Amino acid sequence: MNNLLWLVPTLPFAGFLILALAGKHVSRVWVAIIGAGSVSLSAIITLIIGISFLSLPPATGNYSQTLWTWMQVGGFNPKITLFLDALSLIFVFVITFIGALIHIYSVGFMADDKDYSRFFACMNLFVFSMLVLVLADNLLLLYLGWEGVGLCSYLLIGFWYENPANGYAACKAFIITRVGDTAMAIGLFVIFYQFGTLVIPDVLAKAPTVWHQGAYMATVTALLLLAGGVGKSAQLPLQTWLPDAMAGPSPVSALIHAATMVTAGVYLIARMHVFFQLSPIAQMTVAIIGAGTLFIAGFSALAQYDIKRVLAYSTISQIGYMFLALGVGAWTAAIFHFVIHAFFKALLFLAAGAVIEALHHEHNMFKMGGLKNKLPVIFWTFLIGSASLAALPLISAGFYSKDQILWYAWASQSGNPLLWFIALLGAFITALYTTRMMILVFWGEIKTEIGHHPGRLMTAPLIILAFFSLFAGFIELPHNFGHFTIFSNLLYPVLPETLLKAGINTELQFQVLAALSTFGGIYLAYIFYYKQPRRIEKLKQSGFVTNLYLFWFSGWGFDKLYNVLIVKPIVFLANINKNDVVDKLYQGITFVTIRIYRSLSFTQSGSLRWYVMGLVIGAIIILSIQIML
């Protein structure tokens, strides 16, 4: 097992190198084999490692593999060391397994794209960067992967760069996430100053001995790390980049939302959980950010008409549930929902991509409709993914993962009624906008004719993801359902158990309330968007409802606020300062370079005699100089 671990990130990186350097000279068949095959092989090796890992005794349930010393500066000598424990194994499994399915789907989805090899090169690099992030044994190597996924998101969100709006969306994602990344980098300096190392196991072991409960530096450091997680995972107040990131191809959206970038913040907080346990303020901040985000993003999803933007706001909301769980100390519940969310969100994005392709690149749900019988495989798989997103009771995996978070938001020692109520309201809104999406896309009259049907390369991954979206939830059952906890038992050597309040024995009642909220959202969407759609038109006639709808549609005005407070002042100052002495310096260098180039270009006359004469004169000058010396 130890000898195979290095292959997991190396294979996607090798695929990236081959496609980046020689992709234009390789046939499309080989591009697909290299791009999808490298990640698929990585997934197979992960399964082999996972089977071997599960056979280890719990006390020895981690190991590391040092490849080489990265650098040596004074007493600082970080290594390229891969570290595997239960937490990183779960993330590696999701990244490689779902990443492989997305790559296979992409073979069909991107078949006619002119930049076929560039797409798979960037996708392979994306998977490699995320694997480095979750396998790193030190925070500096983790930060390398962290910045790697940021770079790849820029390259893939702006993949179709011919459209300026796509380039703007890519820049927006890159710049906004840099805000959190800068705070995180400062946090790494603080950690090294406090502990003299960035090796994660060493830092986590030393933290309780250096800091007492509630220590000021523990809070500062945890909040700096939280800022990094907020940026990458698109949580308040840095969530505005993710809806615009839908400019990239649908497989990119699936990879970003399910297996890579936006889950990085969840991993960071879970990995560095000791810091947050030492700072109740920072941990409660995580919960508040998660609750606020899931609430705001849910209402924003309800107002969207672009199917991918609905799913984007849905991801922001579901990551908010994970942050809420982390904030109330339900560490394993957050990771469980991460896994289940990865399955159904990848399914929904890929199925949405198939719908968009079938309808001649149409994104507007109000121009869809009537696809239930026209695209049966897409319909049934999308229905399963939607049921899991809406947490349909008992039969969907999403019910078991989200219900656990709702329960702990009330019952854990850090939980409280307000957090639980916000999470419950979020579940109601999720069911409402998910059912709305299903009705608009698959029921009613056909508004856009189908151009072509997706092939097996696109439908096979959907069927596999649909299976897990239904049945993966049964690996972790609640207390009153037999309390089957194979998933959390795997994580307990790495993450702490959730502490419950004394005398809490009403889980069934809260499950009933969660189920009622889901059914309530489904029923309300059924009435307004299927049974009596005119009610919506009547509501829109109210000025207040229209303004509220537009407010939600705009993401609660965060983009407008940032544009007024930050973007416009910076652009204004830049325009004032655009001809300062620094600009003159660079303009002067450019001017001189162009003049020299134009002068030298006259020597390229195309006359052989002129070139020979130049060689002779040059030789004479060189010989004369040597004689003089």
Side-chain angles (χ1 to χ4, degrees):
M1 178 172 63
N2 227 343
N3 296 329
L4 294 176
L5 183 58
W6 68 277
L7 286 172
V8 174
T10 300
L11 287 170
F13 185 67
F16 156 72
L17 288 177
I18 294 170
L19 295 175
L21 297 176
K24 291 184 178 180
H25 308 290
V26 177
S27 69
R28 285 181 172 252
V29 173
W30 277 104
V31 168
I33 291 173
I34 295 168
S38 60
V39 181
S40 300
L41 283 174
S42 186
I44 293 171
I45 293 172
T46 299
L47 289 175
I48 296 171
I49 293 173
I51 293 170
S52 177
F53 182 90
L54 294 176
S55 65
L56 293 174
T60 58
N62 64 74
Y63 60 87
S64 60
Q65 182 179 15
T66 300
L67 303 180
W68 64 84
T69 299
W70 188 357
M71 64 183 81
Q72 290 182 330
V73 181
F76 183 55
N77 55 345
K79 295 178 171 55
I80 306 295
T81 298
L82 305 180
F83 178 81
L84 189 74
D85 61 5
L87 180 61
S88 54
L89 176 63
I90 289 169
F91 273 81
V92 170
F93 168 75
V94 169
I95 295 163
T96 57
F97 181 71
I98 294 181
L101 293 176
I102 294 171
H103 275 71
I104 293 169
Y105 172 97
S106 301
V107 173
F109 186 89
M110 301 294 292
D112 298 326
D113 197 279
K114 64 178 181 178
D115 287 324
Y116 198 60
S117 61
R118 178 167 67 90
F119 175 82
F120 279 102
C122 293
M123 291 283 278
N124 278 190
L125 183 61
F126 211 160
V127 171
F128 163 75
S129 299
M130 191 66 189
L131 288 170
V132 169
L133 192 159
V134 300
L135 284 172
D137 94 313
N138 66 81
L139 289 166
L140 187 62
L141 184 59
L142 183 151
Y143 195 71
L144 176 67
W146 190 273
E147 292 303 309
V149 295
L151 169 64
C152 293
S153 69
Y154 170 79
L155 296 174
L156 286 166
I157 293 169
F159 181 77
W160 289 321
Y161 56 84
E162 294 90 348
N163 185 345
N166 296 343
Y168 177 83
C171 290
K172 182 178 180 181
F174 191 79
I175 292 169
I176 290 178
T177 54
R178 294 286 76 71
V179 176
D181 294 357
T182 301
M184 180 180 170
I186 296 171
L188 299 192
F189 280 105
V190 174
I191 291 171
F192 184 75
Y193 176 78
Q194 290 284 307
F195 303 104
T197 181
L198 291 177
V199 176
I200 296 172
D202 295 346
V203 168
L204 296 181
K206 290 180 179 180
T209 64
V210 175
W211 293 329
H212 59 80
Q213 185 78 9
Y216 172 76
M217 288 307 300
T219 299
V220 170
T221 308
L223 290 176
L224 288 170
L225 295 180
L226 173 59
V230 163
K232 273 291 186 289
S233 291
Q235 298 292 284
L236 285 172
L238 301 178
Q239 81 284 6
T240 57
W241 67 269
L242 192 57
D244 289 347
M246 299 304 96
S250 294
V252 173
S253 302
L255 195 63
I256 289 176
H257 289 247
T260 54
M261 185 162 169
V262 298
T263 61
V266 177
Y267 174 80
L268 178 67
I269 295 172
R271 174 59 74 193
M272 305 304 292
H273 64 275
V274 173
F275 285 20
F276 293 89
Q277 286 182 308
L278 290 170
S279 174
I281 294 175
Q283 188 167 350
M284 184 50 64
T285 302
V286 176
I288 293 171
I289 287 174
T293 303
L294 72 89
F295 178 82
I296 287 175
F299 281 100
S300 293
L302 187 60
Q304 304 302 311
Y305 61 84
D306 185 323
I307 186 172
K308 287 179 66 176
R309 287 181 73 89
V310 173
L311 295 175
Y313 277 110
S314 168
T315 296
I316 297 172
S317 180
Q318 296 306 303
I319 299 291
Y321 275 101
M322 298 175 208
F323 269 61
L324 172 60
L326 294 168
V328 298
W331 307 99
T332 60
I335 305 305
F336 183 42
H337 193 54
F338 151 73
V339 174
I340 302 303
H341 174 264
F343 287 125
F344 69 70
K345 190 51 61 70
L347 169 60
L348 288 171
F349 267 113
L350 297 183
V355 170
I356 291 167
E357 285 294 296
L359 299 182
H360 310 284
H361 306 284
E362 180 59 67
H363 287 240
N364 190 339
M365 295 187 297
F366 290 92
K367 295 182 180 180
M368 299 178 184
L371 300 179
K372 183 164 66 76
N373 297 322
K374 297 291 185 179
L375 298 171
V377 176
I378 305 302
F379 166 70
W380 286 107
T381 53
F382 201 99
L383 179 62
I384 291 171
S386 297
S388 199
L389 170 59
L392 195 66
L394 302 180
I395 64 172
S396 69
F399 166 75
Y400 295 99
S401 60
K402 187 182 288 184
D403 175 73
Q404 197 176 72
I405 295 175
L406 287 169
W407 166 242
Y408 285 132
W410 175 278
S412 73
Q413 288 190 356
S414 299
N416 64 64
L418 179 59
L419 293 175
W420 168 81
F421 178 75
I422 293 173
L424 186 70
L425 180 59
F428 169 79
I429 297 299
T430 301
L432 177 58
Y433 70 69
T434 303
T435 308
R436 167 183 179 263
M437 178 172 59
M438 281 295 305
I439 292 172
L440 291 176
V441 174
F442 293 101
W443 272 273
E445 299 178 356
I446 297 176
K447 301 180 183 69
T448 303
E449 291 298 326
I450 295 175
H452 67 274
H453 291 262
R456 291 183 179 179
L457 282 173
M458 294 175 64
T459 56
L462 300 183
I463 295 170
I464 296 171
L465 289 167
F467 173 84
F468 284 99
S469 296
L470 270 181
F471 300 110
F474 292 101
I475 62 175
E476 185 80 6
L477 298 178
H479 296 78
N480 57 330
F481 281 32
H483 204 210
F484 183 69
T485 56
I486 185 173
F487 184 85
S488 56
N489 290 340
L490 174 66
L491 282 170
Y492 281 148
V494 182
L495 298 174
E497 292 190 44
T498 305
L499 300 176
L500 298 178
K501 297 174 183 175
I504 296 295
N505 56 1
T506 56
E507 188 167 7
L508 178 61
Q509 290 92 316
F510 284 91
Q511 288 169 347
V512 171
L513 289 173
L516 289 175
S517 70
T518 297
F519 286 127
I522 293 172
Y523 178 74
L524 196 62
Y526 168 76
I527 293 297
F528 278 97
Y529 292 96
Y530 183 80
K531 197 71 175 175
Q532 301 175 17
R534 291 183 180 178
R535 287 192 176 187
I536 289 291
E537 298 303 322
K538 289 183 178 179
L539 282 174
K540 287 182 179 179
Q541 293 175 5
S542 166
F544 172 76
V545 173
T546 299
N547 291 332
L548 185 63
Y549 172 85
L550 293 174
F551 182 62
W552 290 346
F553 179 79
S554 67
W556 295 58
F558 275 88
D559 275 314
K560 185 176 181 180
L561 177 66
Y562 292 158
N563 193 46
V564 171
L565 295 181
I566 300 173
V567 177
K568 286 186 177 179
I570 290 176
V571 172
F572 176 76
L573 292 174
N575 286 330
I576 293 176
N577 201 39
K578 66 181 179 180
N579 289 317
D580 63 0
V581 64
V582 176
D583 288 327
K584 294 293 185 184
L585 174 63
Y586 288 117
Q587 289 170 3
I589 293 173
T590 304
F591 176 81
V592 172
T593 302
I594 292 174
R595 287 297 179 184
I596 293 174
Y597 155 74
R598 288 177 178 173
S599 300
L600 293 175
S601 67
F602 288 117
T603 64
Q604 305 299 311
S605 63
S607 172
L608 183 61
R609 283 193 229 171
W610 177 262
Y611 295 154
V612 172
M613 185 175 69
L615 289 172
V616 171
I617 293 173
I620 292 172
I621 292 173
I622 292 172
L623 290 173
S624 299
I625 292 173
Q626 288 181 339
I627 291 171
M628 290 174 63
L629 294 175

